């Protein structure tokens, strides 16, 4: 089973968003591409950065800090399986070049790494780039069918959808992902999504985080 590692977090304290994104894309991204070129058997098979620019965060007590604060980024990397993911993070290249660079752009105290199984609900017809909306279920997740019924017309125009389910114990039950053509559509969907969940789903589903991000495919795989 293919595994996707989702890394969600905030920028390093004391850093502007512009500094964070420049480092993430131009410096860290270059290092990952060097890793792929040097050791394709251990490196990620696909590598996508998503730079968050808006979102809806519930806050409140009892939530994992990062979800309560909201995210600056969601990074997605794909591996053949969990064993390959583990091996990729134990190589000399990762330990000597990639890992030390992470603290230059990431708040390591709050970053979350989630190995997930990705279920494609509807694949986009084009290769993007897209605006992505990530819906993280901090409490109980609804079934996909129940969510789709609750969202109703808000899903009109969506280009693609998937559900990411953690394969290890995690602070969320699932992260649903929606692809949109532009920022206005992504923001409108996030607001409609928030309203539909509160109005049409049981209260057990009321704890969630919405993150709106620009997609950057650095290695399509």
């Amino acid at each position: 089973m293919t595994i996707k590692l989702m890394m969600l977090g905030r920028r390093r304290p004391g850093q502007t968003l512009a500094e964070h994104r420049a480092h993430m894309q131009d410096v860290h991204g270059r290092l990952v591409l060097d890793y792929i070129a040097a050791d394709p058997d251990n490196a990620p098979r696909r590598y996508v950065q998503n730079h968050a620019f808006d979102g809806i965060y519930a806050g409140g007590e009892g939530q994992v800090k990062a979800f309560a604060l909201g995210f600056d980024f969601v990074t997605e990397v794909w591996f053949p399986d969990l064993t390959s993911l583990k091996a990729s993070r134990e190589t000399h290249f990762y330990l000597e070049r990639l890992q030390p660079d992470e603290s230059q752009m990431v708040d390591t105290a709050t970053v979350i790494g989630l190995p997930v199984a990705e279920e494609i609900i509807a694949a986009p017809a084009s290769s993007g780039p897209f605006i992505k909306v990530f819906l993280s279920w901090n409490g109980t997740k609804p079934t996909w069918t129940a969510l789709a019924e609750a969202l109703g017309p808000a899903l009109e125009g969506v280009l693609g959808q998937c559900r990411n389910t953690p394969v290890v114990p995690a602070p969320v039950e699932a992260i649903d992902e929606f692809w949109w053509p532009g920022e206005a559509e992504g923001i409108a969907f996030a607001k409609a999504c928030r309203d539909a969940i509160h109005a049409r789903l049981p209260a057990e589903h009321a704890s969630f985080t919405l993150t709106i991000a620009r997609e950057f495919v650095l290695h399509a795989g």
Side-chain angles (χ1 to χ4, degrees):
M1 177 180 67
T2 300
I3 290 293
K4 179 168 75 174
L5 176 65
M6 302 184 74
M7 290 172 286
L8 308 95
R10 296 178 63 82
R11 63 191 181 275
R12 178 173 61 83
Q15 195 172 49
T16 69
L17 267 176
E19 290 171 329
H20 162 74
R21 287 169 177 167
H23 190 99
M24 173 168 274
Q25 188 168 7
D26 300 333
V27 179
H28 197 78
R30 181 68 260 170
L31 285 173
V32 175
L33 295 180
D34 289 345
Y35 187 19
I36 293 169
D39 191 357
D41 290 336
N42 285 309
R45 303 319 195 252
R46 177 174 167 82
Y47 175 44
V48 175
Q49 293 183 0
N50 303 286
H51 298 185
F53 64 90
D54 206 340
I56 298 170
Y57 313 115
E61 297 181 2
Q63 292 190 44
V64 174
K65 183 178 180 181
F67 287 99
L69 293 172
F71 299 108
D72 292 326
F73 66 90
V74 179
T75 298
E76 302 170 286
V77 288
W78 283 256
F79 297 91
D81 48 42
L82 276 173
T83 300
S84 301
L85 165 59
K86 184 175 184 294
S88 181
R89 299 168 74 85
E90 294 174 346
T91 65
H92 289 299
F93 194 107
Y94 176 79
L95 294 173
E96 294 177 5
R97 299 184 63 184
L98 277 170
Q99 189 178 56
D101 187 63
E102 292 170 359
S103 62
Q104 300 304 306
M105 59 175 183
V106 169
D107 179 5
T108 55
T110 59
V111 69
I112 295 170
L114 293 178
V116 301
E118 179 187 55
E119 178 188 1
I120 302 295
I121 308 298
S126 67
S127 59
F130 304 107
I131 295 299
K132 290 183 179 176
V133 178
F134 297 91
L135 171 55
S136 306
W137 295 102
N138 306 330
T140 303
K141 71 178 186 295
T143 66
W144 183 266
T145 300
L147 176 61
E149 290 176 352
L151 293 175
L155 284 171
E156 292 178 5
V158 68
L159 301 179
Q161 309 166 58
C162 76
R163 168 160 283 192
N164 303 291
T165 304
V167 297
V168 299
V172 293
E173 286 199 356
I175 299 177
D176 292 325
E177 192 171 332
F178 305 85
W179 296 290
W180 294 91
E183 294 183 12
E185 293 90 341
I187 293 171
F189 171 74
K191 293 191 291 186
C193 190
R194 172 198 61 197
D195 296 343
I197 291 170
H198 287 312
R200 303 189 187 106
L201 287 177
E204 64 183 351
H205 306 308
S207 181
F208 58 86
T209 299
L210 282 154
T211 304
I212 313 169
R214 301 179 187 91
E215 177 193 59
F216 296 89
V217 180
L218 275 70
H219 181 67

